[in-house]
Structure formats: structure tokens, C-alpha cells
Amino acid sequence: MISSQLPALQIIVPLLAAPFCVIIRNSRATWLISVLASWVTFGISILLYLDVQTLGVISYEMGNWAPPWGIEYRIDSINVFVLLIVSSIGALVSLYAYPSISVEVDENKHYLFWTSYLLCLTGLLGVTITGDAFNIFVFLEISSLSTYVLIALGKNRHALYAAFRYLILGTIGATFIVIGIGLLYLLTGTLNLYDLSMRLGDMSLTQPQLAALAFLTVGISLKLALFPLHLWLPNAYAFAPSVATCFLAATATKVAIYLLLRFAYDVFGQSQIFSELPLGEVLLILSIAAMFIASTVAIYQQDIKRMFAYSSVAQIGYITLGASFASHTALTSSIVHLFNHAITKGAIFLLLGLVALRIGQPTLKKMSGLGKSMPWTSAGLVICGLSLIGVPGTAGFISKWYLILAVLERGWWWLAFMILASSLLAVIYVWRVVETMYVSDSDSRGDSHMASTTSPTSMTLVAWLFVTSCIFFGFHTSFSVEGASAAAKVLLEYTK
Amino acid sequence: MDFLDNINYWIAMFQIVMGLFIVIASENLIKTLVGLGIFQSAVYIIYISPAKIFGGTAPILSENYVIYANPLPHVLILTAIVVGVATTALGLALVVRIYEAFGTLEEDKIQEIDLEDSRND
């Protein structure tokens, strides 16, 4: 009985838990509610994943209204994979969060943090699970509005300005998406994604189709921080509370990338639009620009969170690079990197959260000598850094390996060379962190307020779970690569 | 006459461009939000215009009514308006906090303070 309602419960559990947080207000109780809700959500997405393995596609009719009139939740191998990433990270980060939030957010605002956190989780899962175009916009705005609040809760006053700038750019992006969806609705008379792709396939190519694709692509690219639309991201990540940064870096942009894949391959897959438009080429050029320019900018950052935020923009470049050409290996590499980058960046920001507990906002200057005072955390950062570069034995290697395979399938040697060259830029900024932690002299000023505390056990455990999974998924690729490969296969079937 | 037939869309397009221009060009945070509001309301016109049919009624199953207007875009835009209101409210709340923290609403001055702070770190 209840198993048939799982797709609805996936959204409803965190959505209903959020107002409870507002009512209860007690800091520890709201945390417990959030942990409970996000773990139940995680459990539901595991069950959904298992269901999809046996059933293939799950279609859920919201309120028993048959699609395409009613809202349909449609779960296939792609979005169940993304659901699993988002809900697992949501669950683990909530477990990690309590000590970090106690320090970084005022006590009387804790319940607001958890309300926004749960709403953000709801929105991200909703965007992923739904099969209705307008529903996507609504959930996107739920997640975006709560993200602005999460960022603005940072103690530094620049968090406010970062949140405001993200609000302006995010709203422009979301409005572009609505315009695109509106044009599609005017053309086809349907909002159901599956129905849309069928009808667009039967239609001859018209100007409004091109306009709709253009609006959707630009809108989604703003959300996923595709270079040069990434300007909101570095400050938002740098000044948000550590927990919010971990959660957003690991999930928010990934969901936007899923949306891009969904619209490009599924909804527009059967229309002739791609033979008419050089969308793949545009994506390719912007991805390469992101890989090089964002990595170069990352090298010059003093603030560590900003550095890794720019590195996120560069890594998103690798993901969109894989998405830019429609071959099975390329899409697999793109989706695997979506997963691997989520755990790697998640791990880095979780470790930086531990660092922030001791020294405040982590900057290069303050982190000197960290190798002595926090040996384990520093070692973790080194491992994650290696995964970011793509050293064999780490998760990052697997995705770059598939990306290079995909590029070589096309015979594009120059591109394989560029991928390796841009990885060298990652070596430089990771080395800058490693150098300050281990090589440079630790000045006594830093040590005085460092030795005062030890890291809370819950935070350390979760952070290390992420770090070990960076290595684990570098060796055991059965889950990540097979999941991604199944998803890529489904995406390519849509385009046929 | 062609121009007048599509006057709604011309207005909407003008509004989109005007709204975006205000967002980009204005230094004052409140003006930026005003531009964002204008930009968003253009979308409402784009959605509502094709759904309006002259002489059409609500879709009621009755032999007396033949022509009816599509209610779906109206419903969608009601949702979009709610989202727009929430965004503006949150934006204004942030503006209040920014004014308390920085003492100014001019973007260039906030960025100056930004630079000074990062030098002091």
C-alpha cells in the first residue's frame, strides 16, 4: 500500500517537516526533526532506486489525475540516481551540522536554518522527481528562495550581499526558465515532459521552439553556474555557513545539470533542433573556458572557500563538457562526474567546516601549520585534493578517465590534452593549500586559539565517511559507473 | 493593424528589456528589485495574453457556451505571481539587513567596503 505512494512521500516528508520546525523553534528539537526527516527521505529514495532497478520507469499520478492533464512524477534511471545523490548528502550533512551551526549561526535563528534546509531539500528533490514542466519551476523557486535564506544566515555581513546578488541572478534565471516553459506550452498545449517530447518530435522546427530552447538553456545555465554565468557562486559559497556550503555545493548545481540533461536530451531530444543549432559546440567552448579560466582564478584566491568555489565552476565545466556531445561514454562520464564531484566537494567543504570551527573563516594565511594542529583534517583535505585533480585511486580519476575515453572516441586528441592541462591547474591550487598546511612555518599566533577545542565526533565521522568514499568510489565503480551508464543509455534512447 | 493585434506581446517584450536594463544599469539595490519586478511581470502578460479569448467564458460543460478560455495559464500565473511576491519580499528583507550592515544601498560603495574587508583579512 504505502510502497505505491513513495514518489509523493519523497517530497512530502521534508515539506511537512519544515513547518514543524517553525512551530517548535527549540534549537535541538528542530535539528532532530530535520535529521529524522532527511533520513526518512534518504530511505525512500533507496527504495525508489531498488524499484526502478526492477520496474524500469515509475509513473506516479499526483492526486489520481491521469497524465498529461494531471501532474505526473516520472522516475527513471537518471533522476533516481540524482535523487539518491541529493537525499544521501542531505541526510549526512544534517547529521554533521549541529555543532557547526551552533557556532556559526545565532541560537535564535537555528529553527529558521533548519526550515530553510528542509525546504531546500524539498525543492531540489521536487525538481528532480517531477515530470511536469511548470512543477519544475515551482520546486526550483522553493529551493532557490530557501537557498538565499541559507546563504544570508552566514555571520559575515558579506553573506547578505552575496545572497542578494544570487537572488537577482537566480530570479532572472528562473524567469527565463518560465518563459521557455510558457513558449513550449503555447506550442504544444501540454506541460507534461514526456508528452512534450513526443509532440515536439512530431513538429516541424519553428522559431518559437528555438526561442524556448534558448530561454531554457540560458536560465538553467545560470542555475548550474556554467561559465560565464557563474558570478553569483563564489561569494555565495564563501560566505554561507559551512553546513549550507557543503549542502549547496554538493547538490544544488548538480540538480541544475540534471535539468539541462533532461531538457536537452529528453524534451528536445526528438526535435530536429540540434542539427539546426550548434548548442553542443557552444557548451563545449564554454566548458573549456570554465576549466581553464575558473581554475586559474582559483589559484589566486586567499579565501579557501572561495578557492574551492571557483574550483567548482571548473569542475562543472568537466560535467558540461561530457554533456556536450551525445555519445554513451561522454554522457556516462558527465553523470559519473556529477556523482564524484558531489562527494569530493562535499568532503572538502565538510572538512573546511571542521577547520572553520577552530580558526574561523579559513584563509590561506590562517591555515598555515594546520598539518600539525589538525593532522587528520589536513590529511583528508589532501586526499580530496587528489580526487579533485583526478589522481588514480580516487573517485575523480574515474570520471576523468571516462571523459578522456569519450573524447578519444571522437579522435579529438587536442581536447584530451586540454583536459590533462587543466588538471595541472588543479594541481597548482591544491598544492597551494597543501603547502600552507604542511610546509610553511606555523606562526604561534595561529596556535593560540587552535588548541582550545577538539573536533566534535559526529562532524569528524561524517566528514571522514565522505573522504573514504572518495577513495572507495575510485576502486569500486560498480554503483557509480553502472548507475551513470544506465542513465546515459536511457537519455540516448530518448533522442532516438 | 498587425502591430495592434499583437500589442500585448510588444508591451511584454518592451517590459522584459526595460526590466533587465534596470537590473543591470542601476546601482541602487531597491531600484534593482524594481527592475526585477518589472521583468517578472512581463512574463505574466506573455502567459495570460494567448489564454484570453474575446467572448469566451470559463470552461463550463453546457450547451449554452461554445467558446471558452483556457484557465490553465491563469492558474499558472497565479502561482508565478505568488513566487514573485515571495522573491520581492525576501529581496526587500535582505535590502533592510544590508542597509543595517553596510549603511548604504549603493552597489559601488558596498563593493568598496567588500574590497577593504578582504584586504584587512
Side-chain angles (χ1 to χ4, degrees):
Chain A
M1 178 59 208
I2 201 158
S3 67
S4 61
Q5 305 297 332
L6 285 178
L9 287 173
Q10 177 85 91
I11 307 304
I12 288 172
V13 171
L15 185 64
L16 280 186
F20 274 108
C21 293
V22 183
I23 296 168
I24 291 174
R25 294 203 173 203
N26 175 293
S27 162
R28 186 166 277 273
T30 50
W31 172 62
L32 285 174
I33 291 175
S34 313
V35 169
L36 189 70
S38 49
W39 277 90
V40 171
T41 314
F42 180 32
I44 293 170
S45 42
I46 292 176
L47 292 176
L48 282 175
Y49 181 79
L50 296 176
D51 275 357
V52 168
Q53 299 307 311
T54 52
L55 294 173
V57 177
I58 303 174
S59 165
Y60 179 85
E61 297 164 8
M62 223 4 135
N64 244 345
W65 290 88
W69 296 282
I71 291 172
E72 181 194 18
Y73 281 10
R74 196 178 169 80
I75 308 161
D76 54 21
S77 321
I78 319 153
N79 53 4
V80 85
F81 193 66
V82 180
L83 282 179
L84 208 56
I85 296 175
V86 173
S87 63
S88 61
I89 287 169
L92 287 167
V93 169
S94 73
L95 205 59
Y96 160 99
Y98 192 73
S100 176
I101 290 300
S102 313
V103 175
E104 289 183 24
V105 179
D106 295 334
E107 169 103 28
N108 58 353
K109 288 181 191 151
H110 284 184
Y111 74 99
L112 289 175
F113 179 89
W114 289 115
T115 313
S116 317
Y117 185 85
L118 286 170
L119 285 177
C120 189
L121 185 64
T122 312
L124 294 173
L125 291 171
V127 170
T128 315
I129 202 171
T130 187
D132 183 275
F134 201 79
N135 216 219
I136 287 180
F137 163 69
V138 174
F139 277 122
L140 196 68
E141 280 298 44
I142 292 178
S143 70
S144 305
L145 285 169
S146 42
T147 305
Y148 309 145
V149 177
L150 284 178
I151 294 166
L153 280 170
K155 265 199 174 152
N156 190 315
R157 61 176 169 175
H158 298 300
L160 296 169
Y161 186 53
F164 184 83
R165 279 188 49 171
Y166 185 19
L167 182 133
I168 298 293
L169 287 172
T171 309
I172 291 175
T175 311
F176 270 40
I177 293 174
V178 199
I179 297 175
I181 291 171
L183 289 172
L184 285 182
Y185 178 68
L186 292 182
L187 276 170
T188 58
T190 181
L191 286 170
N192 185 292
L193 291 182
Y194 184 68
D195 206 25
L196 260 178
S197 72
M198 295 290 155
R199 294 192 187 200
L200 283 176
D202 296 338
M203 215 177 263
S204 57
L205 197 66
T206 51
Q207 288 289 340
Q209 264 194 51
L210 294 176
L213 181 70
F215 273 117
L216 281 168
T217 313
V218 174
I220 297 171
S221 303
L222 250 169
K223 282 283 168 192
L224 69 80
L226 179 68
F227 183 87
L229 302 171
H230 66 280
L231 291 172
W232 57 269
L233 187 140
N235 273 347
Y237 282 11
F239 297 118
S242 303
V243 178
T245 312
C246 302
F247 181 61
L248 296 175
T251 57
T253 46
K254 310 295 173 291
V255 169
I257 290 165
Y258 155 77
L259 263 192
L260 185 73
L261 290 174
R262 175 65 82 189
F263 273 102
Y265 286 94
D266 182 0
V267 175
F268 282 98
Q270 298 186 16
S271 101
Q272 304 97 325
I273 213 152
F274 287 99
S275 45
E276 294 284 321
L277 273 188
L279 188 72
E281 281 82 351
V282 173
L283 214 53
L284 183 78
I285 292 167
L286 292 180
S287 308
I288 295 173
M291 281 153 42
F292 281 94
I293 299 174
S295 301
T296 314
V297 177
I299 295 172
Y300 292 100
Q301 295 305 313
Q302 287 298 317
D303 186 312
I304 305 287
K305 277 169 92 181
R306 260 175 86 94
M307 173 190 285
F308 284 115
Y310 274 109
S311 138
S312 272
V313 178
Q315 299 286 326
I316 286 164
Y318 294 111
I319 303 178
T320 45
L321 183 66
S324 70
F325 40 105
S327 80
H328 183 250
T329 330
L331 281 177
T332 308
S333 83
S334 175
I335 299 166
V336 165
H337 198 47
L338 194 147
F339 173 77
N340 287 338
H341 180 241
I343 52 172
T344 310
K345 243 337 124 48
I348 286 178
F349 282 119
L350 288 170
L351 292 168
L352 286 178
L354 283 170
V355 176
L357 269 191
R358 304 259 188 113
I359 63 171
Q361 181 84 354
T363 56
L364 271 183
K365 213 193 278 173
K366 282 195 227 160
M367 274 176 76
S368 63
L370 203 74
K372 277 179 207 146
S373 53
M374 296 179 83
W376 282 97
T377 309
S378 312
L381 278 174
V382 173
I383 294 172
C384 298
L386 294 178
S387 177
L388 215 52
I389 298 164
V391 174
T394 58
F397 171 70
I398 303 295
S399 27
K400 286 216 175 125
W401 172 255
Y402 276 93
L403 188 58
I404 287 179
L405 278 186
V407 168
L408 291 184
E409 259 177 23
R410 290 268 164 126
W412 290 350
W413 288 93
W414 56 273
L415 191 53
F417 175 74
M418 286 178 101
I419 293 168
L420 292 175
S422 66
S423 300
L424 289 180
L425 290 174
V427 175
I428 300 178
Y429 62 75
V430 170
W431 172 251
R432 267 172 65 90
V433 179
V434 174
E435 189 189 19
T436 32
M437 287 191 308
Y438 288 100
V439 182
S440 66
D441 296 329
S442 81
D443 42 358
S444 53
R445 181 182 54 81
D447 282 356
S448 60
H449 55 285
M450 264 188 202
S452 57
T453 46
T454 52
S455 301
T457 326
S458 63
M459 288 175 72
T460 319
L461 277 180
V462 174
W464 273 93
L465 188 68
F466 271 76
V467 174
T468 40
S469 56
C470 279
I471 298 175
F472 179 82
F473 287 110
F475 289 104
H476 296 268
T477 56
S478 58
F479 171 72
S480 54
V481 173
E482 274 168 29
S485 161
K489 208 172 127 210
V490 170
L491 275 178
L492 286 174
E493 270 167 18
Y494 284 132
T495 50
K496 268 173 201 154
Chain B
M1 279 318 281
D2 215 30
F3 177 79
L4 278 182
D5 281 346
N6 293 331
I7 185 111
N8 301 16
Y9 300 100
W10 287 109
I11 291 174
M13 254 188 289
F14 176 68
Q15 246 187 305
I16 288 186
V17 178
M18 181 169 68
L20 276 179
F21 178 77
I22 296 172
V23 171
I24 296 164
S26 54
E27 292 282 304
N28 185 296
L29 298 188
I30 301 251
K31 286 181 189 164
T32 312
L33 276 179
V34 171
L36 200 66
I38 293 173
F39 171 58
Q40 280 184 304
S41 49
V43 181
Y44 310 157
I45 299 178
I46 292 180
Y47 265 76
I48 298 285
S49 298
K52 168 70 189 168
I53 291 173
F54 288 107
T57 61
I60 302 164
L61 270 183
S62 157
E63 285 170 7
N64 298 333
Y65 306 109
V66 191
I67 308 170
Y68 64 88
N70 186 351
L72 186 67
H74 298 82
V75 179
L76 297 181
I77 285 315
L78 264 183
T79 318
I81 289 172
V82 173
V83 170
V85 169
T87 313
T88 314
L90 183 60
L92 286 172
L94 282 175
V95 166
V96 171
R97 294 276 315 276
I98 288 173
Y99 188 71
E100 283 169 2
F102 290 88
T104 175
L105 286 180
E106 301 299 316
E107 248 175 346
D108 45 352
K109 282 186 190 146
I110 295 174
Q111 271 159 1
E112 259 170 46
I113 299 174
D114 243 342
L115 273 178
E116 265 170 44
D117 281 13
S118 59
R119 260 188 232 122
N120 293 339
D121 269 344

